[in-house]
Amino acid sequence: MRRRVRLVSVVVALAVPLALSAACSGGEDVDVTVRGDFGKLPEVEFPKGAPADSLAVKTLTKGKGSAARKGDLVVADYVGYRWNEGGRKLLADSYAKGQPGAFPTGQLVPGLTKALVGARPGARVVARIPPGDGFGAKGDPKHRVGADDTLVYVLDVRAVYSGSAGPHGEKQAPLADPRLPRVG
């Protein structure tokens, strides 16, 4: 009994700072526990059983700078899991590759776009994406996601680039110098 009380006390002590610094959309929790520092592979714990069938997004670290809007490009380190009644499976891990992912909001599964809109550089975002906001009734065999699989992402946002970002300047006339080499 004492061991259980201590364990509960430790869990509560660790969870309170996360809850205080986190913003949750939809009033629902993501149901997973995420530990670790921004920019480092997070430790993600899943509860037993099937995930809830609703979208939930939690910002564990707020970040600073311009918030992502639909149509912006978000660069983030991430881990992605599929979760169903049978358990969970890691699908993607950019930390292992040492290369962040580029997420063009508005061109992703709807739940991932919803999770990234509003995120700022320096933010750690956790999203639980049910099939209806993920790959839908057909799933995505290419990514090993079934029709009943919920997606869980933990994303450390490195940068946000406006959808209108690009080169600026005036268009120049083509060079017509006969001394320059030609590509045939």
Side-chain angles (χ1 to χ4, degrees), residues 51-104:
D53 194 27
S54 59
L55 176 70
V57 177
K58 183 182 264 187
T59 301
L60 299 177
T61 307
K62 291 188 180 198
K64 296 180 179 175
S66 297
R69 296 177 300 188
K70 191 172 182 179
D72 288 352
L73 180 71
V74 176
V75 176
D77 293 305
Y78 65 95
V79 288
Y81 297 87
R82 75 169 185 236
W83 181 19
N84 58 37
E85 206 170 298
R88 54 115 172 141
K89 173 130 177 98
L90 179 66
L91 297 177
D93 174 2
S94 74
Y95 297 92
K97 295 177 187 174
Q99 284 187 315
F103 298 91

Side-chain angles (χ1 to χ4, degrees), residues 38-173:
F38 177 90
K40 299 198 177 177
L41 179 67
E43 180 184 324
V44 184
E45 289 182 27
F46 289 76
K48 293 186 189 233
D53 194 27
S54 59
L55 176 70
V57 177
K58 183 182 264 187
T59 301
L60 299 177
T61 307
K62 291 188 180 198
K64 296 180 179 175
S66 297
R69 296 177 300 188
K70 191 172 182 179
D72 288 352
L73 180 71
V74 176
V75 176
D77 293 305
Y78 65 95
V79 288
Y81 297 87
R82 75 169 185 236
W83 181 19
N84 58 37
E85 206 170 298
R88 54 115 172 141
K89 173 130 177 98
L90 179 66
L91 297 177
D93 174 2
S94 74
Y95 297 92
K97 295 177 187 174
Q99 284 187 315
F103 298 91
T105 59
Q107 298 177 27
L108 305 166
V109 295
L112 194 50
T113 290
K114 290 174 188 173
L116 290 172
V117 167
R120 300 174 187 278
R124 174 168 274 184
V125 178
V126 183
R128 181 191 67 220
I129 304 169
D133 285 311
F135 290 108
K138 292 183 181 181
D140 184 9
K142 177 183 170 189
H143 292 101
R144 303 174 313 227
V145 177
D148 296 327
D149 291 340
T150 290
L151 303 172
V152 173
Y153 278 91
V154 179
L155 303 115
D156 286 343
V157 178
R158 287 187 176 195
V160 174
Y161 297 99
S162 170
S164 61
H168 300 287
E170 296 178 21
K171 187 173 182 175
Q172 302 294 312

